[in-house]
PDB file of all heavy atoms in Angstrom:
ATOM      1  N   ASN A   2       0.616   2.172  -0.920  1.00  0.00           N
ATOM      2  CA  ASN A   2       1.398   3.397  -0.993  1.00  0.00           C
ATOM      3  C   ASN A   2       0.944   4.365   0.089  1.00  0.00           C
ATOM      4  O   ASN A   2      -0.236   4.537   0.335  1.00  0.00           O
ATOM      5  CB  ASN A   2       1.217   4.071  -2.356  1.00  0.00           C
ATOM      6  CG  ASN A   2       1.738   3.212  -3.465  1.00  0.00           C
ATOM      7  OD1 ASN A   2       2.509   2.310  -3.226  1.00  0.00           O
ATOM      8  ND2 ASN A   2       1.306   3.470  -4.680  1.00  0.00           N
ATOM      9  N   HIS A  13       7.595   3.705   0.473  1.00  0.00           N
ATOM     10  CA  HIS A  13       7.332   2.297   0.208  1.00  0.00           C
ATOM     11  C   HIS A  13       8.236   1.432   1.056  1.00  0.00           C
ATOM     12  O   HIS A  13       8.588   0.328   0.686  1.00  0.00           O
ATOM     13  CB  HIS A  13       7.597   1.995  -1.278  1.00  0.00           C
ATOM     14  CG  HIS A  13       6.495   2.453  -2.164  1.00  0.00           C
ATOM     15  ND1 HIS A  13       5.880   1.630  -3.072  1.00  0.00           N
ATOM     16  CD2 HIS A  13       5.868   3.643  -2.283  1.00  0.00           C
ATOM     17  CE1 HIS A  13       4.948   2.287  -3.730  1.00  0.00           C
ATOM     18  NE2 HIS A  13       4.927   3.517  -3.268  1.00  0.00           N
ATOM     19  N   ASP A  34       4.204   9.563  -9.516  1.00  0.00           N
ATOM     20  CA  ASP A  34       2.893   9.217  -8.968  1.00  0.00           C
ATOM     21  C   ASP A  34       2.811   7.757  -8.536  1.00  0.00           C
ATOM     22  O   ASP A  34       3.667   6.936  -8.856  1.00  0.00           O
ATOM     23  CB  ASP A  34       1.779   9.552  -9.975  1.00  0.00           C
ATOM     24  CG  ASP A  34       1.954   8.820 -11.303  1.00  0.00           C
ATOM     25  OD1 ASP A  34       2.313   7.618 -11.297  1.00  0.00           O
ATOM     26  OD2 ASP A  34       1.715   9.436 -12.350  1.00  0.00           O
ATOM     27  N   ASP A  35       1.756   7.460  -7.794  1.00  0.00           N
ATOM     28  CA  ASP A  35       1.572   6.115  -7.254  1.00  0.00           C
ATOM     29  C   ASP A  35       1.452   5.065  -8.350  1.00  0.00           C
ATOM     30  O   ASP A  35       1.925   3.936  -8.193  1.00  0.00           O
ATOM     31  CB  ASP A  35       0.324   6.064  -6.370  1.00  0.00           C
ATOM     32  CG  ASP A  35       0.538   6.736  -5.022  1.00  0.00           C
ATOM     33  OD1 ASP A  35       1.686   7.121  -4.728  1.00  0.00           O
ATOM     34  OD2 ASP A  35      -0.444   6.882  -4.267  1.00  0.00           O
ATOM     35  N   GLU A  36       0.806   5.426  -9.451  1.00  0.00           N
ATOM     36  CA  GLU A  36       0.640   4.454 -10.541  1.00  0.00           C
ATOM     37  C   GLU A  36       1.997   4.035 -11.111  1.00  0.00           C
ATOM     38  O   GLU A  36       2.238   2.860 -11.391  1.00  0.00           O
ATOM     39  CB  GLU A  36      -0.234   5.046 -11.650  1.00  0.00           C
ATOM     40  CG  GLU A  36      -0.526   4.060 -12.777  1.00  0.00           C
ATOM     41  CD  GLU A  36      -1.424   4.637 -13.854  1.00  0.00           C
ATOM     42  OE1 GLU A  36      -1.901   5.778 -13.700  1.00  0.00           O
ATOM     43  OE2 GLU A  36      -1.639   3.937 -14.857  1.00  0.00           O
ATOM     44  N   THR A  37       2.898   4.996 -11.267  1.00  0.00           N
ATOM     45  CA  THR A  37       4.247   4.691 -11.748  1.00  0.00           C
ATOM     46  C   THR A  37       4.964   3.771 -10.772  1.00  0.00           C
ATOM     47  O   THR A  37       5.588   2.782 -11.169  1.00  0.00           O
ATOM     48  CB  THR A  37       5.054   5.991 -11.942  1.00  0.00           C
ATOM     49  OG1 THR A  37       4.419   6.790 -12.940  1.00  0.00           O
ATOM     50  CG2 THR A  37       6.496   5.692 -12.361  1.00  0.00           C
ATOM     51  N   LEU A  38       4.866   4.094  -9.485  1.00  0.00           N
ATOM     52  CA  LEU A  38       5.519   3.272  -8.471  1.00  0.00           C
ATOM     53  C   LEU A  38       4.947   1.862  -8.458  1.00  0.00           C
ATOM     54  O   LEU A  38       5.690   0.877  -8.406  1.00  0.00           O
ATOM     55  CB  LEU A  38       5.371   3.912  -7.096  1.00  0.00           C
ATOM     56  CG  LEU A  38       6.156   5.207  -6.867  1.00  0.00           C
ATOM     57  CD1 LEU A  38       5.782   5.813  -5.527  1.00  0.00           C
ATOM     58  CD2 LEU A  38       7.651   4.966  -6.942  1.00  0.00           C
ATOM     59  N   ASP A  39       3.638   1.751  -8.502  1.00  0.00           N
ATOM     60  CA  ASP A  39       3.003   0.435  -8.444  1.00  0.00           C
ATOM     61  C   ASP A  39       3.295  -0.385  -9.698  1.00  0.00           C
ATOM     62  O   ASP A  39       3.442  -1.608  -9.631  1.00  0.00           O
ATOM     63  CB  ASP A  39       1.483   0.583  -8.277  1.00  0.00           C
ATOM     64  CG  ASP A  39       1.108   1.159  -6.910  1.00  0.00           C
ATOM     65  OD1 ASP A  39       1.940   1.082  -5.992  1.00  0.00           O
ATOM     66  OD2 ASP A  39      -0.011   1.694  -6.787  1.00  0.00           O
ATOM     67  N   THR A  40       3.397   0.282 -10.835  1.00  0.00           N
ATOM     68  CA  THR A  40       3.612  -0.419 -12.104  1.00  0.00           C
ATOM     69  C   THR A  40       5.054  -0.867 -12.274  1.00  0.00           C
ATOM     70  O   THR A  40       5.315  -1.999 -12.693  1.00  0.00           O
ATOM     71  CB  THR A  40       3.223   0.496 -13.289  1.00  0.00           C
ATOM     72  OG1 THR A  40       1.860   0.884 -13.134  1.00  0.00           O
ATOM     73  CG2 THR A  40       3.402  -0.229 -14.624  1.00  0.00           C
ATOM     74  N   PHE A  41       5.997   0.013 -11.937  1.00  0.00           N
ATOM     75  CA  PHE A  41       7.395  -0.246 -12.268  1.00  0.00           C
ATOM     76  C   PHE A  41       8.300  -0.537 -11.072  1.00  0.00           C
ATOM     77  O   PHE A  41       9.396  -1.071 -11.254  1.00  0.00           O
ATOM     78  CB  PHE A  41       7.980   0.938 -13.044  1.00  0.00           C
ATOM     79  CG  PHE A  41       7.288   1.191 -14.347  1.00  0.00           C
ATOM     80  CD1 PHE A  41       6.459   2.296 -14.505  1.00  0.00           C
ATOM     81  CD2 PHE A  41       7.458   0.323 -15.421  1.00  0.00           C
ATOM     82  CE1 PHE A  41       5.816   2.533 -15.704  1.00  0.00           C
ATOM     83  CE2 PHE A  41       6.821   0.553 -16.624  1.00  0.00           C
ATOM     84  CZ  PHE A  41       5.985   1.657 -16.767  1.00  0.00           C
ATOM     85  N   TYR A  42       7.877  -0.163  -9.875  1.00  0.00           N
ATOM     86  CA  TYR A  42       8.768  -0.282  -8.721  1.00  0.00           C
ATOM     87  C   TYR A  42       8.115  -1.081  -7.593  1.00  0.00           C
ATOM     88  O   TYR A  42       8.234  -0.729  -6.421  1.00  0.00           O
ATOM     89  CB  TYR A  42       9.205   1.113  -8.254  1.00  0.00           C
ATOM     90  CG  TYR A  42       9.937   1.856  -9.344  1.00  0.00           C
ATOM     91  CD1 TYR A  42       9.268   2.782 -10.150  1.00  0.00           C
ATOM     92  CD2 TYR A  42      11.277   1.593  -9.624  1.00  0.00           C
ATOM     93  CE1 TYR A  42       9.926   3.440 -11.183  1.00  0.00           C
ATOM     94  CE2 TYR A  42      11.939   2.244 -10.653  1.00  0.00           C
ATOM     95  CZ  TYR A  42      11.260   3.164 -11.435  1.00  0.00           C
ATOM     96  OH  TYR A  42      11.909   3.800 -12.459  1.00  0.00           O
ATOM     97  N   ASP A  43       7.452  -2.140  -7.981  1.00  0.00           N
ATOM     98  CA  ASP A  43       6.860  -3.038  -7.000  1.00  0.00           C
ATOM     99  C   ASP A  43       7.951  -3.566  -6.075  1.00  0.00           C
ATOM    100  O   ASP A  43       8.955  -4.123  -6.526  1.00  0.00           O
ATOM    101  CB  ASP A  43       6.165  -4.204  -7.721  1.00  0.00           C
ATOM    102  CG  ASP A  43       5.661  -5.243  -6.750  1.00  0.00           C
ATOM    103  OD1 ASP A  43       4.661  -4.977  -6.080  1.00  0.00           O
ATOM    104  OD2 ASP A  43       6.292  -6.323  -6.660  1.00  0.00           O
ATOM    105  N   ARG A  44       7.754  -3.387  -4.777  1.00  0.00           N
ATOM    106  CA  ARG A  44       8.794  -3.730  -3.825  1.00  0.00           C
ATOM    107  C   ARG A  44       9.167  -5.204  -3.882  1.00  0.00           C
ATOM    108  O   ARG A  44      10.347  -5.561  -3.797  1.00  0.00           O
ATOM    109  CB  ARG A  44       8.341  -3.357  -2.412  1.00  0.00           C
ATOM    110  CG  ARG A  44       9.440  -3.589  -1.405  1.00  0.00           C
ATOM    111  CD  ARG A  44       8.998  -3.321   0.018  1.00  0.00           C
ATOM    112  NE  ARG A  44      10.135  -3.641   0.871  1.00  0.00           N
ATOM    113  CZ  ARG A  44      10.445  -4.865   1.233  1.00  0.00           C
ATOM    114  NH1 ARG A  44       9.713  -5.883   0.825  1.00  0.00           N
ATOM    115  NH2 ARG A  44      11.494  -5.099   1.980  1.00  0.00           N
ATOM    116  N   TYR A  46       9.069  -7.258  -6.371  1.00  0.00           N
ATOM    117  CA  TYR A  46       9.886  -7.563  -7.544  1.00  0.00           C
ATOM    118  C   TYR A  46      11.302  -7.004  -7.404  1.00  0.00           C
ATOM    119  O   TYR A  46      12.287  -7.702  -7.683  1.00  0.00           O
ATOM    120  CB  TYR A  46       9.242  -7.019  -8.827  1.00  0.00           C
ATOM    121  CG  TYR A  46      10.095  -7.342 -10.034  1.00  0.00           C
ATOM    122  CD1 TYR A  46      10.149  -8.643 -10.523  1.00  0.00           C
ATOM    123  CD2 TYR A  46      10.885  -6.368 -10.639  1.00  0.00           C
ATOM    124  CE1 TYR A  46      10.952  -8.973 -11.597  1.00  0.00           C
ATOM    125  CE2 TYR A  46      11.696  -6.693 -11.714  1.00  0.00           C
ATOM    126  CZ  TYR A  46      11.725  -7.989 -12.179  1.00  0.00           C
ATOM    127  OH  TYR A  46      12.540  -8.310 -13.244  1.00  0.00           O
ATOM    128  N   LEU A  47      11.415  -5.762  -6.969  1.00  0.00           N
ATOM    129  CA  LEU A  47      12.747  -5.178  -6.788  1.00  0.00           C
ATOM    130  C   LEU A  47      13.558  -5.981  -5.778  1.00  0.00           C
ATOM    131  O   LEU A  47      14.765  -6.165  -5.945  1.00  0.00           O
ATOM    132  CB  LEU A  47      12.642  -3.723  -6.335  1.00  0.00           C
ATOM    133  CG  LEU A  47      12.039  -2.711  -7.310  1.00  0.00           C
ATOM    134  CD1 LEU A  47      12.216  -1.301  -6.782  1.00  0.00           C
ATOM    135  CD2 LEU A  47      12.609  -2.837  -8.705  1.00  0.00           C
ATOM    136  N   HIS A 139      13.397   8.022 -13.411  1.00  0.00           N
ATOM    137  CA  HIS A 139      12.412   7.220 -14.145  1.00  0.00           C
ATOM    138  C   HIS A 139      12.271   7.654 -15.598  1.00  0.00           C
ATOM    139  O   HIS A 139      12.216   6.808 -16.498  1.00  0.00           O
ATOM    140  CB  HIS A 139      11.054   7.280 -13.436  1.00  0.00           C
ATOM    141  CG  HIS A 139      10.013   6.468 -14.114  1.00  0.00           C
ATOM    142  ND1 HIS A 139      10.041   5.085 -14.138  1.00  0.00           N
ATOM    143  CD2 HIS A 139       8.919   6.840 -14.840  1.00  0.00           C
ATOM    144  CE1 HIS A 139       9.006   4.633 -14.830  1.00  0.00           C
ATOM    145  NE2 HIS A 139       8.317   5.677 -15.262  1.00  0.00           N
ATOM    146  N   VAL A 153      10.478  -1.535 -19.975  1.00  0.00           N
ATOM    147  CA  VAL A 153      10.955  -0.703 -18.869  1.00  0.00           C
ATOM    148  C   VAL A 153      11.376  -1.598 -17.698  1.00  0.00           C
ATOM    149  O   VAL A 153      12.390  -1.355 -17.042  1.00  0.00           O
ATOM    150  CB  VAL A 153       9.870   0.310 -18.434  1.00  0.00           C
ATOM    151  CG1 VAL A 153      10.315   1.086 -17.200  1.00  0.00           C
ATOM    152  CG2 VAL A 153       9.559   1.268 -19.581  1.00  0.00           C
ATOM    153  N   ALA A 154      10.606  -2.658 -17.441  1.00  0.00           N
ATOM    154  CA  ALA A 154      10.925  -3.571 -16.341  1.00  0.00           C
ATOM    155  C   ALA A 154      12.288  -4.234 -16.543  1.00  0.00           C
ATOM    156  O   ALA A 154      13.064  -4.387 -15.599  1.00  0.00           O
ATOM    157  CB  ALA A 154       9.834  -4.632 -16.202  1.00  0.00           C
ATOM    158  N   ILE A 157      14.947  -1.547 -15.821  1.00  0.00           N
ATOM    159  CA  ILE A 157      15.053  -1.277 -14.389  1.00  0.00           C
ATOM    160  C   ILE A 157      15.803  -2.413 -13.705  1.00  0.00           C
ATOM    161  O   ILE A 157      16.676  -2.181 -12.861  1.00  0.00           O
ATOM    162  CB  ILE A 157      13.656  -1.084 -13.760  1.00  0.00           C
ATOM    163  CG1 ILE A 157      13.048   0.241 -14.229  1.00  0.00           C
ATOM    164  CG2 ILE A 157      13.730  -1.123 -12.231  1.00  0.00           C
ATOM    165  CD1 ILE A 157      11.598   0.429 -13.846  1.00  0.00           C
TER     166      ILE A 157
END
Side-chain angles (χ1 to χ4, degrees):
N2 296 342
H13 282 233
D34 59 41
D35 285 353
E36 184 178 356
T37 298
L38 291 173
D39 292 340
T40 302
F41 298 108
Y42 300 97
D43 174 74
R44 185 184 178 279
Y46 180 73
L47 294 189
H139 181 69
V153 175
I157 289 171

